Amino acid sequence: MMDSNTPEPAAQPEQDGRRSFIKQAGGLLGLALAPPLISQAERLTAMSKKVEGVTEMRLKVNGTVRTMQAEPRVTLLDALRERLDLTGTKKGCDHGQCGACTVLVDGKRVNSCLTLAVMVQNKEITTVEGLAKGEELHPLQQAFIDHDGFQCGYCTPGQLMSGVACLKEGHAKTDDSVREWMSGNLCRCGAYPNIVAAIRQVEQSGFKG
Amino acid sequence: MDTEPKFFETNPTAGVVGKPLNRVDGRDKVMGRAKYAAEYNNLPGLAHAVIKTSDVAKGRITGFDTTAAMKQPGVLAILTYQNIPKLAKTPNDADGKKAIGAPMGYLPLTDDQIHYAGQPVAVVVADTLERAQYAAALLKVQVAADKPIASYEDPKAQLFDPEKIQDGKADGHVKRGDAQAAFAAAPVQLTHKYTHAINHHSPMEPGATTAHWEAPDRLTIYESTQGVTRTQKSVSTMLGLSAEQVRVVTKYLGGGFGCKGSAWPHTILTVQAAKAVGRPVKLALTRPQMFTGMGHREDQTQTLRLGATKDGKLTALIHEKTSTTSPWDNYAESNSKIINMLYECPTFEASYQLARANVMTSTFTRAPGEAPGSFAIESSMDDLAYQLGIDPIEIRLRNYAEKDPTNGHPWSSKSLKQCYARGAELFGWSKRNPKNGATRDGRLLVGWGMATASYPVHNSQGTARARLYADGHAVVQSGATDLGTGTYTVMTQVACDALGLPMDKVRFELGDTKLPTAPNSGGSVAAGTVSSSVYMAVQDLWQKLIKVAVLDKKSPLYRAKIADVEAKAGRLQLKSDPKKGEGFADLMKRADMSDVEGNGQGRYGSGYEDAQAAANADQSKKDEAAHHSMHSFGAHFCEVKVDPDLGTVRVTRWVSVHGAGRILNAKTARSQIIGGSIFGIGAALMEGTVRDQHFSRYTNASLADYHIPVNADIPEMTVEFIDEHDPHINAMGVKGIGEISMVGVSAAVANAVFHATGKRVRELPLTPEKILGAKAV
Ligand code: FES
Ligand code: FES
């Protein structure tokens, strides 16, 4: 298990922990990890105790703490989809190229396929399943339905999570800004104009994330 | 068929049909509840499979080293051609391929041969995904590699002249009149070459299969497919089971665009893996595997020769296409079809050349044939207009085909002139400066282009079942699929109007072979076929109730002739005296019927118009048998801004107007046209998979390197439909819009670039270096 305290990022990593993580990341994840991620992962995990083999992990998803048995190489995306049966979050590429796996971690949008589950314990994770309050939809969910912001619906959970973040970031003030800040989420069905309309409508309704 | 009821007659004013209603599955999709093929996690002992593919494109497997992989915890099996459970039939011979309906005449893991890079060579199964992935990485495959052929452009490639293309479905040679002589005599002659890059469908949901053997002879698969019935047929035939022993379920589908129209190797490999380990197995292709796992649009060159009079009347069209196919199949999109029918032209000739290369078989890709074919003809028509100083719309009107030029049949309906006129009006076409390169926005060059679109109404049939309950709700079913096109929603709308019930009282179910058989969602046939099936099923149910009514002494319809009674908005009444009648609920209550069920068969296309003549005939014979030619038509208008220094092109305005029969839902239909246009903009400006000419391996098999349009690439778009009432095509009068939305798009973009820059680029995609490298005419 990781320490429950998240250390300051500026703290000096402990040699040992760092090396064992690199060994695992290199050996087990191999090329799947892009270099910038390795350094981030390194920084975050280096503070922690060594994690090896199958261990118990705890993830706080949509306000509920969930426990699972998993190896440290398990991505947040696969933890959600395969361990916790939260299949709303989608896998389109597994390589940070499509945005289908976008979730919020402490309110920020991240690609869950490029995030190890072990790194986000003790953080608030929000997935598409957590957007509505019970049966009452989040305004952006309703706007997606009203503006037909999807066809097949496979990119939609990622679009919604990015859209929610986009609104909160203040990047939804103009159509062009939405287009730019939503371009990390691919939609092969081509729902883009409708997605822009949905996000802009929520922005203009005065909704504050 | 005159004897069958038609929606136009029973519902002269539609209720919810056509309305821009929200999708009925919208809530499930935005809440993350819609379950796709790889999301059936609660099967007992579900294991994970990963495909190991070949890096070389040609060779022979000489051995496997499984030691390290097998030592990994959780590994259940490593399957290769040596130990995978045997199949009753494979597509490796012509008979097997036909019986299976396989997209490719070779199934991996049937021998030691390697024919293309990315070919599966092993399947690794483990208790978790990570363990399967890691074990697959540790598995060593020894290969004696050979030098591959990469494409028709490879110096080693041998071109041949196929008698049939598109897997036997289209002729390799087409001739109408003496096009060569007409071309030679033409006062205006244009000869141009067009190339089209390899395109990959790239649906956001990768192909996936979850296979569950519920008994040794009973299998359920959750599959990402455009047709559960076709998959059932393929899989059951390969296994030597009867169709009903294999159940295929596809409740939600994350896009398809043609690549999920057939059962590709990963599907049967997953089924075999589940057999081998005695547990349910899930397999999802990785994104790189999507580039070598489910087909593509082939690399191709077209040469189009166009002969015309000085006032722009076509006299000859000669089309040649050369493209790459696989070692086993003669697959080429039939580009010539649209070139043959789009304009009035007395002569036509088409031929195809293929070369075998070490690639998998290409397959139907949104608007197969029509998309690249329209790029050639619509670019050349633009050239003709420019050369003769005629407006691009005017040149098309001068060659307007009042009848189908290929067979002289009248059109079942055609609203192309209205599409041009309305599109031009919405776009502001009359303000277009006829000179190329003369319009600027700051330092950017502005261009306006347009192109015609058309797509045939193919021939298809399907079935549906409708059950109406006495308390006023209904369940309607058909084994169709919803790719995101809105099948769930539009079929609910049709059922509601046919039943006279509100939307919240009708549930439509699809995507299961346990339901009545429906065709593949492909070739734009689903909307017309399934809606007609649903409509006919409801008519059948009314006939059953009418029979009860005329025998019921308490019914106002007692002793009426069955033929004199009609059903309107849920009421059974005399045609001659509509006041005489009653609602279904009262009748059913008296008769103590809790529910009544109807079955319907919907026919679409020429088989609808003349079922008898079309019976047992192949597609081309069916079309001949009909009295009408059946097509959708439309027009796209595009504005681009081109950076003269960087060669970058941005689409800044878009207008599409289509006449496609009855539109079932104005909102989802608009989305589909937008989506198809964006698909076409991708092909026009950025999409192209590059095969390394030495290794015959894709160099950009990822979504980072194979560029599809992103949000910032797409402007606001305007879509309209021309109202069409076509009684010849099916009971609902629906033509379908999935494909036409993409036809002509790349030409509209290229024509706009030509107008902006004076540069005519004929190689798709129109990337900056091609635009900078071209000379203005
Ligand atoms: S699945 Fe994570 S970005 Fe594509
Ligand atoms: S809705 Fe299908 S990919 Fe976006």
Side-chain angles (χ1 to χ4, degrees):
Chain A
M1 281 295 297
M2 282 173 76
D3 288 338
S4 50
N5 294 326
T6 312
E8 291 299 314
Q12 203 50 43
E14 193 209 321
Q15 275 304 333
D16 217 31
R18 176 192 212 162
R19 213 178 298 125
S20 71
F21 179 82
I22 292 171
K23 200 173 122 219
Q24 273 188 340
L28 303 180
L29 281 154
L31 294 172
L33 279 177
L37 183 77
I38 292 181
S39 57
Q40 189 202 6
E42 210 178 288
R43 185 161 50 77
L44 291 171
T45 317
M47 309 302 118
S48 323
K49 287 184 201 145
K50 184 165 149 181
V51 187
E52 233 175 348
V54 178
T55 58
E56 186 176 281
M57 286 187 210
R58 290 204 290 170
L59 292 178
K60 192 167 175 205
V61 187
N62 302 326
T64 309
V65 177
R66 306 273 307 261
T67 310
M68 63 178 188
Q69 301 290 324
E71 295 162 316
R73 61 183 163 186
V74 172
T75 63
L76 175 57
L77 175 60
D78 288 331
L80 293 168
R81 284 174 65 81
E82 310 297 342
R83 307 299 193 295
L84 304 177
D85 198 28
L86 287 168
T87 54
T89 307
K90 303 303 182 198
K91 185 185 282 189
C93 69
D94 217 13
H95 281 61
Q97 301 163 344
C98 75
C101 65
T102 308
V103 299
L104 304 184
V105 175
D106 286 344
K108 282 212 187 101
R109 39 174 157 170
V110 303
N111 289 338
S112 63
C113 70
L114 293 186
T115 307
L116 294 174
V118 73
M119 294 156 55
V120 290
Q121 302 186 89
N122 310 311
K123 294 182 188 281
E124 297 278 346
I125 299 159
T126 312
T127 71
V128 72
E129 289 95 341
L131 274 188
K133 291 198 192 85
E135 286 302 303
E136 193 199 318
L137 297 181
H138 184 286
L140 191 60
Q141 288 175 308
Q142 189 58 49
F144 263 58
I145 293 177
D146 295 339
H147 291 275
D148 213 27
F150 50 88
Q151 290 193 50
C152 76
Y154 199 81
C155 73
T156 311
Q159 303 279 3
L160 283 164
M161 301 318 288
S162 267
V164 166
C166 183
L167 284 158
K168 222 193 266 165
E169 293 156 8
H171 289 138
K173 303 262 187 278
T174 65
D175 287 9
D176 275 346
S177 167
V178 171
R179 287 191 186 106
E180 200 62 37
W181 287 89
M182 289 299 290
S183 279
N185 289 80
L186 302 181
C187 175
R188 189 52 157 167
C189 296
Y192 298 131
N194 299 351
I195 292 170
V196 173
I199 295 174
R200 290 287 292 143
Q201 186 222 301
V202 174
E203 162 74 21
Q204 279 161 344
S205 76
F207 174 79
K208 300 268 172 279
Chain B
M1 295 291 287
D2 306 321
T3 50
E4 285 183 358
K6 290 182 193 317
F7 190 79
F8 299 107
E9 287 152 13
T10 59
N11 296 62
T13 47
V16 287
V17 164
K19 292 261 148 49
L21 301 188
N22 288 343
R23 285 169 199 264
V24 298
D25 51 342
R27 253 185 112 76
D28 281 347
K29 284 181 176 172
V30 300
M31 294 180 87
R33 289 177 182 166
K35 251 187 204 294
Y36 298 77
E39 299 173 353
Y40 289 81
N41 284 335
N42 295 320
L43 301 170
L46 181 65
H48 297 258
V50 166
I51 287 179
K52 171 103 174 171
T53 57
S54 169
D55 292 335
V56 304
K58 188 171 193 243
R60 195 173 59 80
I61 301 169
T62 56
F64 296 94
D65 181 356
T66 59
T67 336
M70 276 314 275
K71 270 203 208 117
Q72 288 301 306
V75 173
L76 300 169
I78 295 176
L79 302 171
T80 68
Y81 75 93
Q82 295 166 343
N83 65 346
I84 194 160
K86 290 273 164 292
L87 295 168
K89 240 191 195 52
T90 73
N92 295 9
D93 57 81
D95 286 347
K97 186 182 177 209
K98 194 150 183 248
I100 294 162
M104 188 159 83
Y106 176 73
L107 183 67
L109 271 74
T110 50
D111 60 22
D112 60 357
Q113 296 299 305
I114 292 173
H115 300 282
Y116 59 97
Q119 176 184 320
V121 292
V123 179
V124 180
V125 192
D127 61 350
T128 71
L129 178 60
E130 296 75 20
R131 287 172 164 179
Q133 284 168 339
Y134 187 47
L138 293 178
L139 169 65
K140 291 207 170 60
V141 185
Q142 286 113 22
V143 175
D146 224 340
K147 193 126 186 55
I149 295 176
S151 79
Y152 67 87
E153 289 172 312
D154 193 314
K156 297 187 296 302
Q158 290 181 1
L159 293 173
F160 66 97
D161 206 338
E163 207 171 297
K164 293 268 184 188
I165 52 157
Q166 214 181 352
D167 235 6
K169 290 187 196 80
D171 289 325
H173 283 268
V174 184
K175 222 175 150 165
R176 178 161 59 76
D178 190 346
Q180 302 290 350
F183 180 78
V188 182
Q189 295 177 342
L190 300 181
T191 299
H192 290 299
K193 219 181 216 193
Y194 298 89
T195 62
H196 201 298
I198 302 162
N199 280 180
H200 275 86
H201 314 74
S202 307
M204 292 314 300
E205 181 207 20
T209 307
T210 305
H212 183 199
W213 286 92
E214 281 151 346
D217 59 352
R218 267 201 16 249
L219 170 73
T220 297
I221 59 182
Y222 305 90
E223 176 73 2
S224 185
T225 176
Q226 291 172 226
V228 290
T229 305
R230 190 180 285 182
T231 303
Q232 179 190 44
K233 176 190 162 183
S234 294
V235 171
S236 60
T237 307
M238 284 190 265
L239 294 171
L241 296 176
S242 63
E244 76 281 0
Q245 287 171 297
V246 176
R247 180 183 173 201
V248 182
V249 177
T250 306
K251 290 295 175 189
Y252 287 97
L253 186 65
F257 316 110
C259 77
K260 293 175 182 171
S262 334
W264 295 100
H266 68 271
T267 301
I268 192 70
L269 293 176
T270 311
V271 169
Q272 290 169 286
K275 189 81 173 178
V277 301
R279 288 165 68 163
V281 168
K282 159 154 76 174
L283 183 148
L285 294 179
T286 64
R287 184 52 62 178
Q289 287 173 351
M290 283 299 289
F291 287 82
T292 48
M294 303 186 84
H296 55 274
R297 194 193 299 282
E298 67 268 15
D299 37 332
Q300 50 188 284
T301 297
Q302 314 174 64
T303 305
L304 182 64
R305 285 189 284 160
L306 179 159
T309 64
K310 287 234 162 68
D311 53 2
K313 272 290 300 152
L314 293 176
T315 57
L317 286 167
I318 302 168
H319 180 255
E320 289 158 16
K321 168 171 165 173
T322 306
S323 58
T324 304
T325 189
S326 68
W328 328 277
D329 305 311
N330 290 355
Y331 192 94
E333 301 178 306
S334 52
N335 299 26
S336 61
K337 274 190 187 159
I338 188 166
I339 300 172
N340 194 1
M341 58 65 64
L342 202 54
Y343 298 108
E344 181 61 49
C345 178
T347 69
F348 177 77
E349 191 176 329
S351 60
Y352 291 81
Q353 294 234 296
L354 295 178
R356 300 207 181 285
N358 292 101
V359 301
M360 78 180 306
T361 307
S362 51
T363 193
F364 11 82
T365 308
R366 200 170 201 170
E370 277 77 8
S374 65
F375 174 59
I377 178 79
E378 288 300 277
S379 296
S380 280
M381 288 301 280
D382 208 60
D383 284 333
L384 183 63
Y386 181 76
Q387 191 163 323
L388 300 177
I390 301 172
D391 179 81
I393 296 180
E394 173 57 25
I395 196 92
R396 287 165 171 87
L397 289 172
R398 285 191 194 176
N399 291 287
Y400 196 83
E402 298 289 355
K403 297 179 303 202
D404 184 345
T406 69
N407 56 17
H409 287 334
W411 305 106
S412 63
S413 59
K414 180 174 182 176
S415 318
L416 182 55
K417 281 183 183 161
Q418 293 94 310
C419 294
Y420 290 145
R422 182 63 183 147
E425 185 184 338
L426 288 167
F427 192 81
W429 187 260
S430 62
K431 297 195 223 54
R432 182 178 185 267
N433 183 340
K435 272 184 68 184
N436 284 347
T439 314
R440 282 194 180 246
D441 173 10
R443 47 180 289 278
L444 300 179
L445 299 165
V446 181
W448 291 4
M450 59 81 59
T452 311
S454 180
Y455 193 78
V457 172
H458 290 303
N459 200 291
S460 154
Q461 59 186 33
T463 53
R465 174 160 68 215
R467 182 182 284 182
L468 171 66
Y469 292 85
D471 69 0
H473 80 281
V475 177
V476 182
Q477 302 171 319
S478 179
T481 49
D482 188 336
L483 287 85
T485 46
T487 316
Y488 274 114
T489 309
V490 299
M491 297 314 155
T492 310
Q493 289 172 271
V494 170
C496 282
D497 274 9
L499 288 161
L501 293 177
M503 285 292 281
D504 61 348
K505 293 290 182 204
V506 178
R507 193 174 76 238
F508 180 71
E509 296 177 342
L510 55 64
D512 191 331
T513 48
K514 287 203 165 156
L515 306 180
T517 301
N520 254 33
S521 291
S524 293
V525 307
T529 314
V530 182
S531 66
S532 296
S533 308
V534 166
Y535 173 75
M536 295 304 290
V538 174
Q539 303 313 310
D540 183 44
L541 155 176
W542 291 136
Q543 286 305 310
K544 287 182 182 162
L545 283 183
I546 290 170
K547 279 183 197 144
V548 175
V550 299
L551 293 172
D552 181 351
K553 284 192 183 118
K554 293 207 177 113
S555 170
L557 297 168
Y558 180 54
R559 287 206 161 150
K561 275 219 208 79
I562 287 176
D564 293 344
V565 184
E566 63 178 5
K568 276 229 162 110
R571 213 179 112 85
L572 307 177
Q573 58 195 30
L574 277 186
K575 285 179 189 160
S576 56
D577 180 9
K579 280 197 291 301
K580 210 162 165 196
E582 62 178 330
F584 66 86
D586 295 337
L587 173 70
M588 287 174 76
K589 232 166 268 161
R590 281 201 312 278
D592 201 19
M593 296 170 78
S594 72
D595 61 81
V596 58
E597 194 169 285
N599 291 286
Q601 190 197 38
R603 282 174 292 107
Y604 171 87
S606 49
Y608 176 71
E609 187 169 45
D610 196 338
Q612 223 32 52
N616 299 323
D618 67 22
Q619 181 68 44
S620 57
K621 299 269 163 33
K622 281 183 192 187
D623 294 344
E624 274 167 34
H627 315 299
H628 292 89
S629 278
M630 304 172 181
H631 281 256
S632 303
F633 291 91
H636 298 285
F637 293 80
C638 170
E639 177 187 87
V640 296
K641 293 193 178 157
V642 183
D643 187 313
D645 300 317
L646 301 176
T648 46
V649 179
R650 299 194 74 85
V651 174
T652 46
R653 283 197 307 130
W654 192 265
V655 173
S656 291
V657 182
H658 294 273
R662 183 188 292 281
I663 296 303
L664 291 169
N665 179 320
K667 187 181 279 195
T668 57
R670 174 181 171 273
S671 294
Q672 224 178 327
I673 299 288
I674 287 177
S677 301
I678 294 175
F679 213 96
I681 291 171
L685 291 180
M686 60 195 86
E687 291 185 39
T689 331
V690 179
R691 219 180 278 129
D692 181 289
Q693 289 296 310
H694 295 285
F695 299 110
S696 192
R697 208 158 54 194
Y698 291 118
T699 58
N700 57 336
S702 80
L703 290 177
D705 300 312
Y706 180 84
H707 295 168
I708 65 172
V710 300
N711 206 322
D713 294 320
I714 301 303
E716 224 179 276
M717 296 179 134
T718 304
V719 174
E720 277 196 15
F721 296 99
I722 304 293
D723 233 0
E724 270 184 356
H725 175 144
D726 191 326
H728 307 291
I729 48 179
N730 49 61
M732 291 299 300
V734 167
K735 288 180 178 172
I737 51 172
E739 327 275 333
I740 191 171
S741 52
M742 187 187 175
V743 182
V745 169
S746 47
V749 175
N751 293 344
V753 170
F754 180 57
H755 182 232
T757 61
K759 296 176 178 185
R760 171 61 70 183
V761 184
R762 304 175 202 275
E763 294 155 39
L764 293 183
L766 308 179
T767 41
E769 81 284 3
K770 289 180 197 156
I771 288 169
L772 289 179
K775 275 212 283 301
V777 294

